Amino acid sequence: MLFVYIGGTVGTEMVRQFIGSSKGADQAMVTALILNIALILLIWRRTTALSDEVDVYRQAEVRAQHLAMTDPLTNLFNRRAVKEKTTELSARASRRGKSIAFMMVDLDGFKKINDLYGHDSGDLLLREVADRMRDVVPPSSIIARLGGDEFGICLVFEPEYPETVDRVAEDLIEALARPVTIADADQQVTASVGIARPEFDCDSIDMLIRRADIALYAAKKNGRNGFSWFENGMEIELRTRNSLEADIRAAIPNDEFVPYFEQQVDLATGELVGFEMLARWVSPVRGLIPPDDFIPVAEETGMIGDLSMSIIRKALLEAKNWDQRLTISVNISPVQLKDPWLAQKIVKLLVETGFPANRLEVEITESSLFKNLNLAQSIVGSLKNQGIQIALDDFGTGYSSLAHLRALPFDRIKIDRSFVSSMDDNAESAAIVSAIAGLGASLAVPITAEGIEDESVIAKLNELGCSKGQGWHFGQPMSIEQVRKLLIEKDMLQSRKQSYKKSSVSDDMISGGDKARAVS
C-alpha cells in the first residue's frame, strides 16, 4: 500500500514535469519510493528463500518417514510399518465387506547361502525374493521384510473363498523355489508360510501376526516348503513345547537326564557283549520321559550337545566298572556332528572318566553324513585315531552310497530296526536285510541287527552272517541299577570281582598267619 501511494504520487509529479506543468517530484518522495522498491525486493527474496527451505524440510520429512517405514535393502515395508499398514488395509477391507489374511514367510536354507557365499550374496537373494513376491501377490497387498529372511504379507480376500489365499500361498512357494544364480551357480531356497485371518477370536493386529507366526512354526515342523493355516490347537502345542523347553533347560544342570542301557548280544553264542546307551529324562514333575519327547526339542534349541555329553559321562563312569570285554555304544545327534570340536569333547570325557577308548563305539546316523561330509570325515578320523570304534547307525533308511562307506572308515554297520522287525512279514524288508548283510561281508565290516523281537529272526540273521543283535527279545532298556543287578548275576561286574580278589588275598594272609603261629 505504501508502494502504491508513494509510487502514485511520484509518478504523477514526474508525468506533470514531463508535460511542463510541474517542477518535478519531491526528492524525499523519490528516495522513499526507491527505498520502498528495495524493501519489496528484499521481502520477495526472503520469501522465496523461506519457501525453498520449507520445501527442503518437507522433502526431508518425507524421506525420513520413508526410511522409517521402509527396509533399505528390499524397499519393502519394515517391521515398524507393517502393523500400521495392516490396520489401514483391514479397515478398508471391512468397509467393502471383505477380509484380510496375514502370511508369515520364512526362507528355508537361507543361512547356507550366507555361510557359503557371504552376506553380499545373501542380500542379492533377499532382493530377488522381494521382487518375486511383488510379482505374485495382488497389487493391493502389504509386503514387509520383518528381519533377516522373514517376511510378512497382508492381502484382501472374499471371506467366503479362503481358497484364493491358498492359491496365492502356493504360487508364492513355487515362485520362491525357482533357482537363483549366485556366484555363477544356480542356488535354490524354499519357503515356509504360516497364514492367519482375524475373524476367529482375534481382537488385534498383534494377535493376528503372532498367530501367523505360530502357523509358520507348524509349516516348518511339517517338513518345510509348504503352508499352514493357524488352528487353535497350534497355540496350545506351542505353549506345551515352550514349557518343555524351559524344563529341559533347567533339567540339564539338575542332572535329571540319565543313561539307560539296551543289551547287545553275540547272535552265534547268545553271550552278552555290550550295551547301547539310551537317554532318559527322570523329571520330578513329569516322571520318566522317553527320548522321542525331548530330543527333538533339545536339537532345535541347541541344548543337545550339553545334554548328550552329561549322559555319556554318567554312562562311561558306570561302564568303567563292567567286565572289560563289554563295550558301550553311544549315539551322536546329527546336530552334534556339525560341531568341529566334537571329537575333542568325547576324548576329554574318556580322559576324565578313565574309560578305555577301545571299549567305546560311537554311532553316527546315515542321514547325518550328507550335511557336511568333510567335517564328518575329520571327526571320524580324530575318533579312530584314539582307538574309538565307529558304527553307521540306521543303515538302509538314508541315502548312503558305497562312496560314503569308503570315505568314512566304519567299524560296524547297524541295520535299522524297521527292516529287522518286519523280516517275517515283509519280503522287501527281508531282501534289504540280506543285501546289507552281503554288503557288510564284501567290505569285511561286521553287522549289528537292531529291533530283534522274536527267536525266529535270530536264526535268519545268523544265516546271513550278522554278528551282533539287540532288541526287546533280549530285554527292554535298563536303568543303571538294573544293569548292575544283571552283571552281578553274570559275574561281569569288574568292581565286584576286584572286591572278591581283595577279600581272597586277605583270607590267604590270615590263613598264612594262623599257620605261622601254629608252627611257632
Side-chain angles (χ1 to χ4, degrees), residues 124 135 150 161-162 182-183 208 233 235 270 321 370 376 400 407 454 462 468 499 504-505 517:
L124 173 66
D135 294 338
E150 191 173 61
Y161 303 103
I182 295 176
L208 177 68
E235 192 164 14
N321 298 318
F370 299 91
S400 285
D454 67 64
N462 264 322
K468 285 170 58 174
S499 299
S504 298
V505 170
R517 284 192 294 271

Side-chain angles (χ1 to χ4, degrees), residues 344-393:
Q344 287 80 353
K345 292 177 180 178
I346 294 176
V347 172
K348 182 182 177 183
L349 284 182
L350 292 176
V351 173
E352 292 175 349
T353 59
F355 188 82
N358 63 342
R359 291 177 55 203
L360 176 63
E361 183 176 84
V362 172
E363 299 182 3
I364 299 174
T365 57
E366 181 183 3
S367 57
S368 65
L369 297 179
F370 299 91
K371 306 294 183 181
N372 191 334
L373 182 59
N374 291 333
L375 181 57
Q377 284 178 307
S378 174
I379 292 172
V380 168
S382 298
L383 292 174
K384 283 188 68 66
N385 287 339
Q386 300 298 321
I388 298 171
Q389 304 292 300
I390 307 295
L392 180 59
D393 195 17

Side-chain angles (χ1 to χ4, degrees), residues 29-39:
M29 294 296 287
V30 173
T31 303
L33 177 62
I34 294 171
L35 290 173
N36 195 250
I37 292 172
L39 180 61

Side-chain angles (χ1 to χ4, degrees), residues 31-49:
T31 303
L33 177 62
I34 294 171
L35 290 173
N36 195 250
I37 292 172
L39 180 61
I40 289 174
L41 290 174
L42 179 63
I43 292 173
W44 174 79
R45 184 176 179 182
R46 182 57 183 158
T47 302
T48 303

Side-chain angles (χ1 to χ4, degrees), residues 180-239:
V180 180
T181 302
I182 295 176
D184 298 327
D186 286 344
Q187 303 295 331
Q188 186 177 29
V189 296
T190 58
S192 298
V193 181
I195 313 172
R197 56 189 295 185
E199 285 88 348
F200 304 113
D201 190 28
C202 184
D203 54 9
S204 70
I205 297 299
D206 285 332
M207 181 178 289
L208 177 68
I209 295 175
R210 185 169 64 84
R211 287 185 169 183
D213 198 23
I214 293 172
L216 172 63
Y217 173 78
K220 285 183 170 292
K221 185 178 178 182
N222 291 337
R224 304 174 186 268
N225 195 29
F227 69 92
S228 293
W229 280 86
F230 171 81
E231 298 175 0
N232 286 326
M234 293 179 180
E235 192 164 14
I236 298 172
E237 181 181 351
L238 184 61
R239 288 176 180 172

